[in-house]
Amino acid sequence: MSKVLVIAEHLDGVLNASTAKTVSAAAALKPEALEVAVLAADPAAVAEQAAKLAGVTKVLTVANPANAHAIGQVLAPQIAALATGYTHVFGPSTTFGKDLMPCVAALLGVAQVSDLITVEGEHTFTRPIYAGNAIITVEAPADQTVVATVRTASWPEAAQGGSAPIEAASAAATLPTHTRFVGLAAGKSDRPDLQSARRVVSGGRGVGSKENFEIIYKLADKLGAAVGASRAAVDAGYVPNELQVGQTGKIIAPELYLAIGISGAIQHLTGIKDAGTIVAINKDPDAPIFEIADIGLVGDLFQLLPELDAALG
């Protein structure tokens, strides 16, 4: 039987939704034990949230002032020390997990399985390749700890209602001195987080300018949605790069995705393949986005969006 350790992602005392999705992937193994590790300066609040996730059998807390900020090179030695006795160590395939989990795998001397989207067996998984155009089955060595990142867009959040015990853990490890926290530059917004939002409104090159992008923000606010953008819009300077959706941006799976003025390059489509309903507005009837859209509307976005805004009241 497998024993899985899930590494919690959190910020400012709030558990990220990516952790609940990673727990769902871990639960697909039908493990004997499914434990969540919370590393922080003060992990109590996050640990309580993790303990409520269905399927979690125990929450381990590692309190250390060095863990005040999520630095992969600092967290990894502690996780490697915790990993003894576990058959699997899972983390989300977010910026956090992509920074951290390769370090964990290296310290354990194993290869990492990246972006797993299904669990076929204890050591067999599927993951996307070629920008999501093909799915490959990979098999990890049965005699090694499986370190993997979970493609969160492919998994639902674990339900609430759990009541796992919380236990302080010791992670004796020598922490590196070559990496230290200097500062965090992050955009502030009252809108939902792009990676976990249920509704997303994205704009592309067709929006035309940074000033014109206000029409995207206005619609998103009316829908209570997050704002996204294509790489073309980001490269053109319309919006900051943290809003980019696609292969080199964020991989998302909202219930509703509105693609406005986005042609639909394959790199962008990779980021939204798991979205529930895709609505596309573009004046080019041959735009590739219409091939995957559930609802398509051909027309000038500057005429259609005011009409849509009025209809929404």
Side-chain angles (χ1 to χ4, degrees):
M1 292 290 288
S2 55
K3 184 178 181 182
V4 189
L5 181 66
V6 169
I7 311 305
E9 178 178 2
H10 56 91
L11 181 66
D12 296 332
V14 178
L15 188 69
N16 192 288
S18 65
T19 303
K21 294 182 176 185
T22 305
V23 166
S24 289
L29 288 162
K30 297 180 172 54
E32 177 183 4
L34 198 172
E35 301 180 3
V36 176
V38 179
L39 291 84
D42 181 4
V46 176
E48 289 181 5
Q49 296 166 55
K52 295 176 181 177
L53 296 176
V56 174
T57 56
K58 184 188 293 184
V59 176
L60 303 177
T61 61
V62 180
N64 190 326
N67 298 338
H69 303 285
I71 301 172
Q73 290 74 18
V74 174
L75 299 181
Q78 300 172 75
I79 294 168
L82 281 177
T84 302
Y86 293 93
T87 58
H88 299 71
V89 181
F90 281 6
S93 188
T94 57
T95 301
F96 166 81
K98 289 177 180 178
D99 177 48
L100 171 63
M101 300 308 288
C103 298
V104 174
L107 290 171
L108 294 177
V110 301
Q112 176 182 291
V113 179
S114 300
D115 277 341
L116 68 85
I117 59 174
T118 67
V119 172
E120 304 297 317
E122 284 196 11
H123 296 87
T124 308
F125 313 94
T126 62
R127 62 178 301 269
I129 58 172
Y130 302 132
N133 288 302
I135 304 300
I136 189 173
T137 300
V138 296
E139 187 166 345
D143 59 347
Q144 296 179 356
T145 302
V146 178
V147 176
T149 58
V150 172
R151 190 181 179 103
T152 54
S154 299
W155 297 90
E157 292 182 29
Q160 297 289 311
S163 57
I166 300 172
E167 179 182 301
S170 174
T174 301
L175 302 186
T177 57
H178 59 71
T179 304
R180 72 189 195 286
F181 178 80
V182 174
L184 175 65
K188 294 186 180 297
S189 174
D190 294 330
R191 299 184 182 93
D193 174 68
L194 177 57
Q195 281 197 291
S196 58
R198 299 185 186 280
R199 295 181 290 275
V200 174
V201 180
S202 274
R205 191 197 308 272
V207 176
S209 70
K210 182 177 181 179
E211 292 71 26
N212 288 347
F213 223 86
E214 287 299 323
I215 199 170
I216 304 296
Y217 291 127
K218 184 178 179 181
L219 179 59
D221 290 342
K222 182 153 285 190
L223 294 173
V227 172
S230 67
R231 178 168 181 171
V234 171
D235 288 347
Y238 301 169
V239 293
N241 59 13
E242 61 259 29
L243 298 186
Q244 183 177 325
V245 174
Q247 182 182 1
T248 54
K250 291 181 170 66
I251 309 295
I252 60 175
E255 295 173 3
L256 173 65
Y257 185 77
L258 275 72
I260 300 171
I262 295 175
S263 62
I266 186 62
Q267 291 85 353
H268 187 80
L269 301 186
T270 296
I272 61 170
K273 282 188 173 180
D274 293 308
T277 299
I278 299 174
V279 179
I281 298 176
N282 200 296
K283 65 181 180 181
D284 178 6
D286 296 321
I289 191 72
F290 288 125
E291 296 179 11
I292 67 159
D294 298 288
I295 301 171
L297 187 56
V298 178
D300 186 336
L301 67 91
F302 296 107
Q303 293 179 358
L304 295 175
L305 289 195
E307 293 177 13
L308 178 58
D309 183 72
L312 291 171

